[in-house]
Amino acid sequence: DQQVKQNSPSLSVQEGRISILNCDYTNSMFDYFLWYKKYPAEGPTFLISISSIKDKNEDGRFTVFLNKSAKHLSLHIVPSQPGDSAVYFCAARDPNSGNTPLVFGKGTRLSVIA
Amino acid sequence: GAVVSQHPSRVICKSGTSVKIECRSLDFQATTMFWYRQFPKQSLMLMATSNEGSKATYEQGVEKDKFLINHASLTLSTLTVTSAHPEDSSFYICSAHAGGWVQYFGPGTRLLVL
């Protein structure tokens, strides 16, 4: 049973427009959410995170929104740039899980078209 | 952010040989590291959790005798693919917590078994 779901395997956006990547989760105990970006043949790099006590966190062109009642979070990238083309993974932390790893979604491939 | 390195970045070996991949936390100590593999165009698959000074915890379906994990120090974990076969060809990535919720990933190791 997948606890973190990214239902869109891919997304194409024109350069300069907004990219919105979505993520849903099922475990209400998750207290911390993260977004990672991954280029081919490289390890994922941490992008931005949000605590469950907040509903928005912004860092430059990247903003993450959290809707706890809907168990939904989204990553907004604006304006989108060709260099943003990558696979984006949503991840969540269960505070009751000790030293176990984050729970990852399957990823969404973003293509920003020039 | 914290830096995790992997060595080698790429390795080609003959079927039946063993390959060792190193994962190092360069600027922090990691009591726990995680090993993932990623097949082309698929998401990250957690293989095992590596605990310093104790046995690794393997995910269901991962053969512990085939994928030997040794976490001998707080900055080094190794994954040895024993008697490698072509189906073991994949992209192997390690990660570690750096004292917070964020998991930092290494750059990955591309293994090709001929």
Side-chain angles (χ1 to χ4, degrees):
Chain A
D1 181 35
Q2 224 183 337
Q3 297 187 72
V4 177
K5 299 178 184 179
Q6 292 177 257
N7 293 318
S8 298
S10 63
L11 174 70
S12 287
V13 172
Q14 267 198 315
E15 181 180 8
R17 299 288 183 103
I18 184 171
S19 295
I20 300 177
L21 297 111
N22 293 304
C23 178
D24 297 294
Y25 62 95
T26 57
N27 187 345
S28 58
M29 299 302 294
F30 287 148
D31 68 343
Y32 205 74
F33 303 90
L34 305 90
W35 283 95
Y36 285 84
K37 175 180 179 179
K38 184 182 182 302
Y39 292 116
E42 293 185 12
T45 54
F46 168 68
L47 200 55
I48 192 170
S49 64
I50 188 167
S51 165
S52 61
I53 62 173
K54 296 189 175 182
D55 55 18
K56 179 182 175 181
N57 186 27
E58 190 173 351
D59 184 2
R61 296 186 298 115
F62 303 92
T63 303
V64 56
F65 295 92
L66 176 62
N67 182 334
K68 280 189 71 176
S69 61
K71 294 192 179 70
H72 177 84
L73 66 154
S74 60
L75 174 68
H76 292 211
I77 306 173
V78 55
S80 301
Q81 299 173 354
D84 296 329
S85 298
V87 177
Y88 289 79
F89 290 97
C90 171
R93 190 190 87 103
D94 182 348
N96 298 319
S97 63
N99 250 347
T100 54
L102 299 169
V103 180
F104 283 86
K106 289 186 179 292
T108 296
R109 182 176 301 276
L110 172 66
S111 299
V112 180
I113 305 161
Chain B
V3 180
V4 176
S5 72
Q6 276 183 247
H7 177 80
S9 59
R10 186 176 296 184
V11 58
I12 301 173
C13 69
K14 292 182 179 179
S15 185
T17 60
S18 294
V19 174
K20 180 187 282 189
I21 303 170
E22 292 185 349
C23 177
R24 293 183 186 272
S25 55
L26 296 186
D27 50 359
F28 66 100
Q29 293 184 329
T31 55
T32 304
M33 291 183 174
F34 309 102
W35 287 96
Y36 295 82
R37 69 188 290 184
Q38 183 183 33
F39 294 100
K41 297 185 179 180
Q42 293 190 22
S43 68
L44 302 168
M45 186 192 85
L46 178 66
M47 298 175 66
T49 300
S50 170
N51 304 296
E52 189 268 335
S54 65
K55 291 182 180 179
T57 305
Y58 289 83
E59 295 300 300
Q60 194 172 12
V62 178
E63 299 175 60
K64 62 180 180 181
D65 294 329
K66 178 162 187 66
F67 298 100
L68 299 178
I69 291 173
N70 185 7
H71 196 150
S73 77
L74 287 171
T75 59
L76 173 65
S77 174
T78 60
L79 169 68
T80 301
V81 184
T82 61
S83 186
H85 288 97
E87 57 266 29
D88 298 324
S89 299
S90 190
F91 191 58
Y92 293 87
I93 314 173
C94 70
S95 73
H97 286 296
W101 315 139
V102 180
Q103 226 172 284
Y104 291 95
F105 286 84
T109 297
R110 170 74 61 193
L111 170 63
L112 178 60
V113 185
L114 302 177

